[in-house]
Amino acid sequence: MAEYRDKPKDFHQPTPEELKARNKRNVAIALSLALFMIFVFVTMVSKGVIPSGV
Amino acid sequence: MASSSHITDIEATSSDVAFANLGVGPSGLSLAQPSDFFALMKPRVMSLVVFTAWAGLVCAPGVLPLWKAIASIICIAAGAGASGALNMWYDADIDAKMSRTKKRPIPQGKMSPSAALGFGTLISVASIWTLYIASNMVAAALLAFTIFFYLVIYTMWLKRSTPQNIVIGGAAGAFPPMIGWAAVSGDITLNSILLFMIIFIWTPPHFWALALYKTGDYEKVGIPMMPNVKGPKSTRNQIMAYSVLLAAIAIAPIFTGLGGPIFAVFSIALNLAFLALAFKVWKSRAGETAESSDEASLYAVKSGDRAARNLFAFSIIYLFAIFGVMALETVLKGLI
C-alpha cells in the first residue's frame, strides 16, 4: 500500500542550516501569533468591547 | 497586471544576480531567518515613521488612553514595515544592482520575492485592521491609503517612470503624523495637513542630496532620479527652491497655534541651518564629474559631494528635531 503516485526523484535531506532556519521561523511565527492575540485582546478590553472583569 | 511579468523578469535574470536560488536551500527549504523578515520592514525608515506618528499623536487635540496610543503606534509602524516589504518584493531586480540596496534579504538570496510579498500582504491587512479596532476608521483608512500609495503609486508607477518620483511619492512617508493625529481626533485638520506638508516638502531636498552623490547607482538601474535626468545643476536649483519652501512651511505652525515660543526658536534656527547647508550645495558642483584630472577640478567636485552628504545627514536630524520640539512643547504645555 505504501506506494507513491509521484515519487520524488531528487530528494535532498534538509541541511542543518535549513533546519535551523526553519526552527527559528517556527518559533518567531508562534511568538508573533501569541503576541498578536494578546494585543487584540488587550485592545478589545481597553475599548470596552470585552468587559475587563471577564 | 505588470507585477507578474515583473516577477518573471526577476526570475529570468536570476542567473547573474545573487538571488539565483530564490532563497531556498538544496532541499527546497527556505534559509530565511526571522531577522531577514525584520530587515524587509526597513527598520531605519520605521524608526522615523514611529517618531513622526508619535509626534502627530501627541500634538493632536484630545487624549488617547495609553494602551490605545501604544497600539496605534505599533500598527502604524507595522503598516510602514509592510509597505517596505512590498517595496522590496517589487524592486528586487533593481535592488540587486545598486550598492545601497544589494545587501537586502532578497538580493542576497536569503528569501524569495514571493515570501516578501506574502509577508508584506499579511502584515498590511493585520496592521490596518488592528489600527481600526485600536483607534478609528479615519486612521485605519489613512494607513491603508499610505500602503497603497507607497506600493502602487510610488513603487510600481512613479519610481521607474519620472524624475518627480520622490516628490509625489514622498507623500507616502508624510502620512504617519497625520495618521497619529487622526488616531486621537478622528479627523483631518489644517494642523495635521501642516505636519504632512513638512515631511512632504522635506523629502525632495533630502533624497536629492543623497542622489547627487549616488547618481551612478540610480543611473545603472535606469531609475530616473533628478540628477541623472535633468542634471546636477537643475537638481541643486530645485534643492534650494524646496529648502526655501520648507522653511516657510516649517515655521507656519507658529501662526496656527500648533507650535509655541520654544518651537519658534528651534524651528527658525533649524531652518536657517538647513538653508545654509542647501545654499552650500547650490553653490557647489555636487553630482558633477570632473572635466579634467587637475587637482582643482577634482577638489571642487569632491567638496560639492561632501556638501550634499552634509545636507543629507542634517536633513534627518532636522526632521527629528522639528517634530521632537513640537511634541515636547505640547507635552510641557499639558504639564503646566
Side-chain angles (χ1 to χ4, degrees), chain B residues 184 211 318:
Chain B
V184 180
Y318 170 91

Side-chain angles (χ1 to χ4, degrees), chain B residues 110-133:
Chain B
K110 287 179 178 171
M111 70 170 70
S112 64
S114 57
L117 172 64
F119 177 73
T121 308
L122 185 75
I123 303 293
S124 295
V125 173
S127 61
I128 294 163
W129 180 70
T130 41
L131 184 60
Y132 168 61
I133 60 165

Side-chain angles (χ1 to χ4, degrees), chain A:
Chain A
M1 287 298 286
E3 189 182 326
Y4 287 107
R5 188 176 288 267
D6 295 308
K7 199 170 183 178
K9 286 176 189 160
D10 300 314
F11 178 77
H12 291 274
Q13 194 68 32
T15 61
E17 288 78 26
E18 285 175 310
L19 291 172
K20 208 172 161 186
R22 185 176 66 179
N23 281 343
K24 280 187 180 176
R25 287 198 305 273
N26 289 346
V27 170
I29 290 168
L31 282 174
S32 305
L33 280 174
L35 283 172
F36 185 67
M37 285 193 295
I38 294 166
F39 183 83
V40 172
F41 182 76
V42 175
T43 305
M44 290 297 195
V45 170
S46 75
K47 281 195 94 173
V49 177
I50 300 169
S52 54
V54 172

Side-chain angles (χ1 to χ4, degrees), chain B residues 217-239:
Chain B
D217 238 14
Y218 289 106
E219 202 163 17
K220 202 162 59 184
V221 294
I223 296 293
M225 286 301 274
M226 197 57 79
N228 54 38
V229 175
K230 300 280 180 191
K233 194 172 188 307
S234 168
T235 309
R236 294 195 300 266
N237 288 343
Q238 293 190 63
I239 285 177

Side-chain angles (χ1 to χ4, degrees), chain B residues 65-319:
Chain B
L66 183 65
W67 172 253
K68 284 188 190 175
I70 294 169
S72 300
I73 296 282
I74 292 172
C75 291
I76 297 167
S83 57
L86 292 169
N87 169 273
M88 285 200 204
W89 156 70
Y90 193 81
D91 278 347
D93 56 339
I94 54 173
D95 281 353
K97 294 168 190 164
M98 289 171 66
S99 64
R100 193 173 66 86
T101 54
K102 68 182 177 193
K103 288 192 175 165
R104 287 177 174 175
I106 302 173
Q108 281 210 314
K110 287 179 178 171
M111 70 170 70
S112 64
S114 57
L117 172 64
F119 177 73
T121 308
L122 185 75
I123 303 293
S124 295
V125 173
S127 61
I128 294 163
W129 180 70
T130 41
L131 184 60
Y132 168 61
I133 60 165
S135 59
N136 55 61
M137 179 66 91
V138 178
L142 279 173
L143 181 63
F145 182 70
T146 305
I147 296 170
F148 165 80
F149 197 93
Y150 189 63
L151 176 65
V152 179
I153 308 291
Y154 172 68
T155 307
M156 290 182 174
W157 179 27
L158 298 170
K159 187 173 179 180
R160 298 175 194 231
S161 60
T162 167
Q164 295 293 334
N165 46 18
I166 53 106
V167 179
I168 308 162
F175 277 115
M178 209 181 199
I179 303 172
W181 183 289
V184 180
S185 66
D187 58 10
I188 297 166
T189 64
L190 173 68
N191 278 333
S192 74
I193 293 170
L194 259 184
L195 295 180
F196 168 89
M197 286 302 290
I198 291 172
I199 305 181
F200 185 62
I201 300 299
W202 164 89
T203 307
H206 167 74
F207 266 108
W208 285 338
L210 170 76
L212 274 177
Y213 63 89
K214 288 275 184 188
T215 312
D217 238 14
Y218 289 106
E219 202 163 17
K220 202 162 59 184
V221 294
I223 296 293
M225 286 301 274
M226 197 57 79
N228 54 38
V229 175
K230 300 280 180 191
K233 194 172 188 307
S234 168
T235 309
R236 294 195 300 266
N237 288 343
Q238 293 190 63
I239 285 177
M240 194 65 225
Y242 273 100
S243 300
V244 172
L245 192 60
L246 175 65
I249 288 169
I251 59 165
I254 303 167
F255 306 104
T256 63
L258 186 58
I262 302 173
F263 174 80
V265 171
F266 274 91
S267 177
I268 291 167
L270 285 163
N271 280 295
L272 284 175
F274 198 104
L275 282 170
L277 289 170
F279 184 76
K280 271 189 180 173
V281 174
W282 186 47
K283 298 298 279 179
S284 77
R285 291 184 56 196
E288 290 178 17
T289 42
E291 62 280 343
S292 63
S293 59
D294 69 279
E295 210 171 299
S297 176
L298 285 170
Y299 179 78
V301 171
K302 217 168 183 178
S303 81
D305 285 354
R306 194 164 52 243
R309 264 176 213 274
N310 288 344
L311 177 63
F312 176 73
F314 179 76
S315 66
I316 298 167
I317 299 166
Y318 170 91
L319 200 68

